[in-house]
Amino acid sequence: MASGRGLRRPVVLLLTLALVGGGIYTAVSFLQRSETFVSERCTAVIDSQTAELATDQAVNASLITAVAVQRGLPPRAASIALATAMQESKLRNIDHGDQAGPDSRGLFQQRPSQGWGTEAQVMDPYYAANAFYNALVKIPDYQSMEITDAAQRVQRSAYPDAYAQHEDMGRFFASGLTGQSPGAVHCTLRSPDGPGDTAQVAAELSQAYGPLAATADGQTLTIEANGAQAWSLAQWAVANAKGLAVTNVDVAGRSWNRAGGKGWQVSDTTGSQVRITVSPATSDS
């Protein structure tokens, strides 16, 4: 009988280890499968109303808005630009023409034949955004115009009423991305595909906003900023989190965590800083 119990002990141990191992495998497999069901998107919520963009559209929206901030333009300018780009290109940097003309290109479908610049220039999102604003600021009282009217004055579209359908999206994302509405922009994302690079984040921020007081420490980039500028930078980081492998953004007592999926949460962050944390490199990367 003693020898029978002795044989059962290793069998029970093996079964236990198998069950534990199977449970871990099942849990990991579930987490991996659940990632595939995450619908990646970015939203802007203003007064309980929501606008939604795909992640690549949000990147372009943040770029267009950052150019307005860098130029010191009012949020209304960014609202007009976003509504225009959505109508012209679906906020995507397309390299072919449409009904606007066979040579129209880029975020705003600007035509080299009409003096907007070379094809290479209008395909550069920063050039295109600045070219749009250069034309917009020449319109007297554009800030008090209906968005669709101001957009039409710049674009001279064959479909002047089409911009109106994108006014809410333009206003909501402009309000968040200019920092006028703290915590308005939130993105739901899967886990990063690889490590992030704080130097790349700093370079893209500087291109978008101009020179910034930023320092890197490990996986975290810290930028000295406060008020609307701080919230503009923070929500830019969220809008660009997918491509830059951003995992966490902290600003003014609030935190956005990529893994949490719950939007901006109250945190213990203080001071006049924005902290952007990127995914670390793994041992085999």
Side-chain angles (χ1 to χ4, degrees):
M1 292 298 293
S3 61
R5 287 194 299 271
L7 287 172
R8 284 197 296 272
R9 289 193 187 101
V11 172
V12 171
L13 178 60
L14 287 172
L15 286 172
T16 302
L17 291 173
L19 288 171
V20 171
I24 294 172
Y25 173 80
T26 300
V28 171
S29 297
F30 173 78
L31 290 173
Q32 290 174 337
R33 287 197 305 273
S34 66
E35 282 275 288
T36 65
F37 294 111
V38 173
S39 176
E40 294 191 309
R41 63 194 184 281
C42 293
T43 59
V45 182
I46 305 291
D47 296 330
S48 300
Q49 298 184 71
T50 301
E52 184 173 302
L53 292 175
T55 54
D56 63 319
Q57 293 174 311
V59 169
N60 289 324
S62 71
L63 179 154
I64 291 169
T65 306
V67 172
V69 172
Q70 182 180 164
R71 293 176 61 131
L73 297 176
R76 185 70 169 181
S79 298
I80 297 166
L82 293 181
T84 302
M86 175 59 88
Q87 173 59 30
E88 298 292 352
S89 69
K90 300 302 181 187
L91 271 170
R92 293 186 168 104
N93 197 32
I94 55 179
D95 61 357
H96 56 81
D98 61 4
Q99 68 269 19
D103 66 331
S104 56
R105 297 289 187 276
L107 289 172
F108 295 91
Q109 286 291 280
Q110 293 157 332
R111 301 182 65 182
S113 64
Q114 294 187 349
W116 283 102
T118 67
E119 182 173 332
Q121 285 175 324
V122 299
M123 281 299 296
D124 176 354
Y126 291 97
Y127 176 93
N130 274 298
F132 179 87
Y133 290 128
N134 287 341
L136 180 66
V137 297
K138 293 177 182 177
I139 300 170
D141 302 321
Y142 76 86
Q143 293 187 57
S144 60
M145 288 182 176
E146 293 291 335
I147 287 177
T148 188
D149 293 336
Q152 172 62 9
R153 289 283 296 275
V154 175
Q155 298 295 107
R156 301 188 182 280
S157 170
Y159 305 95
D161 298 327
Y163 302 108
Q165 63 189 310
H166 307 299
E167 287 186 2
D168 285 348
M169 181 282 301
R171 287 190 297 105
F172 294 178
F173 273 92
S175 186
L177 291 168
T178 59
Q180 300 303 306
S181 295
V185 175
H186 158 58
C187 295
T188 301
L189 303 170
R190 302 185 187 103
S191 298
D193 293 328
D197 181 356
T198 54
Q200 182 184 2
V201 176
E204 295 204 18
L205 273 170
S206 294
Q207 185 178 27
Y209 289 92
L212 297 167
T215 56
D217 182 10
Q219 275 69 56
T220 299
L221 182 73
T222 301
I223 306 134
E224 300 298 326
N226 54 41
Q229 183 193 32
W231 273 106
S232 180
L233 295 169
Q235 293 180 99
W236 177 96
V238 172
N240 286 268
K242 179 176 173 66
L244 295 176
V246 173
T247 57
N248 209 81
V249 182
D250 297 292
V251 59
R254 305 280 291 280
S255 180
W256 174 84
N257 183 276
R258 181 175 184 144
K262 297 180 179 178
W264 291 93
Q265 302 293 307
V266 175
S267 72
D268 59 0
T269 57
T270 58
S272 301
Q273 295 179 334
V274 179
R275 295 202 300 270
I276 303 169
T277 303
V278 301
S279 178
T282 58
S283 59
D284 57 352
S285 63

